[in-house]
Structure formats: structure tokens, C-alpha cells
Amino acid sequence: MSVTDLPTEPATTSSTRLEPGTPNSTGPEGPGMPGSVMSRDISADQFRAAMASLAAPVTVVTCYDSAGTPRGLTASAVSSLSLDPPLLLVCLDRGSRTHDVLTSAETFTLHLLSPENEELAKKFAGPTDQRFGNVPLASGPSSRHAPQLADCALRLTCARHDVIEAGDHTILVGRVAASDCLGRPAGGLVWHHRGFAHARPVEVR
């Protein structure tokens, strides 16, 4: 399944700074000292395995291309970014055939999926020319800006706010202009350990 992995910040090795000459210090640039830089990255396989443990929401992102044709893909590297203004981000693989369309679109819609939407998530991770086949679309007020999938828990329609290059991915930042909830709990379908999982609220006793 072609879902993206969220880039992470390098973890710091210590929260305590050691002065030169103190125990466990390796010199002027020992662990925890300013200027200390790790010499190499972990391998792509190690990083991929580590990120498999990070549960991520499964979403579908849609837009219209320059000819007005609906385009979209499944994405799991999604996060809120700012409350004021309301911003969210989606990380897109530069190798995706939908990458250039999404990053150049003025508006797009992020669809949060529920556990019953597994097949929809698989469809939008499959062949690009089959993604909208037999998929019901909604005709709400935001549908003229970006395609609206009828069967999802929540739709967030966004104006493109920024596009940031980051490694082999692009961070698409959207400013949320409309929120359409379809009367059921949003979210619930997550990608975890390279497979679908269903997140449910913890019951409060």
C-alpha cells in the first residue's frame, strides 16, 4: 500500500549538558554539548521499521487538476499544524504520480476515514486511473473547489498555504476553509505495523 511516512526530528541523546572534564564527557564537543553533530543517518530500512510502530491516521486527499479532472491519493503522513490560522500538513512522496497535481492545486480536501473505509483507502492507493471509479461523490458547497467523497467521516477543505521541500517528500500545508462532518465519529482507521488498525476511544469508567 502506497502510504507515506511522516519525517521525524533527530532525537537528542541527552537532556543534560556536561561541562568539559566532567564524568562521561568526551571533550569539548562530547554528548549533550553544543556543536555536537551525529556523523551518519540510520539506514532507510531501519527508519522504515521504526516508523512502522508509529500509528498514523489513514486519509484520502483529493483535488482537481488543470483540466478539472478529479485526482487523489491515500496518505497517512498527516498532522494538524496551527490553530490560528487553522493549518494542517500532508507529506507527499515526490515519486507519486499525483504529487505535482496536489502541490500545484489551489485547493484540496482531506478526508478522514473510518474503520469501514478500508476498501476506499486501498482504492486510492491503487492505479491512478481507477481511483474514482464507482466512488460516490458529494455535491456539497465545497465540492466545486475539490472533489468530495461521499462516504467518509469528516472532510476538511483547504486552500494551499505553503509547499515545502523536505528530503524525498514535499510538505503540503493547507489552510482549512471548511469542515464537513457526516454525523459519525471522525477518524478511527489507522496504519500501524504495515497494516490497517482500528482506533476506538477508551471507555471512561
Side-chain angles (χ1 to χ4, degrees), residues 18-108:
L18 299 177
E19 297 297 330
T22 58
N24 297 324
S25 174
T26 58
E29 293 189 356
M33 293 299 296
S36 176
V37 178
M38 289 193 231
S39 61
R40 61 187 180 86
D41 300 330
I42 63 174
S43 70
D45 287 342
Q46 286 177 305
F47 185 61
R48 190 177 294 109
M51 290 300 96
S53 297
L54 180 64
V58 180
T59 71
V60 170
V61 188
T62 62
C63 69
Y64 291 116
D65 64 17
S66 58
T69 303
R71 302 288 297 275
L73 52 69
T74 299
S76 64
V78 174
S79 176
S80 61
L81 179 60
S82 167
L83 186 61
D84 185 17
L87 302 178
L88 57 80
L89 64 83
V90 182
C91 297
L92 303 171
D93 187 339
R94 288 194 200 173
S96 166
R97 293 183 179 181
T98 316
H99 172 277
D100 292 352
V101 176
L102 276 169
T103 55
S104 61
E106 292 186 2
T107 56
F108 64 91

Side-chain angles (χ1 to χ4, degrees), residues 1 4 20 27 65 70 86 93 103 134 136 141 157 169 189 192 205:
M1 178 175 175
T4 53
D65 64 17
D93 187 339
T103 55
N134 298 319
T157 302
H169 279 59
L189 183 63
H192 192 217
R205 297 181 180 178

Side-chain angles (χ1 to χ4, degrees), residues 3-20:
V3 292
T4 53
D5 294 320
L6 186 64
T8 59
E9 295 288 344
T12 55
T13 56
S14 173
S15 60
T16 304
R17 292 186 174 182
L18 299 177
E19 297 297 330

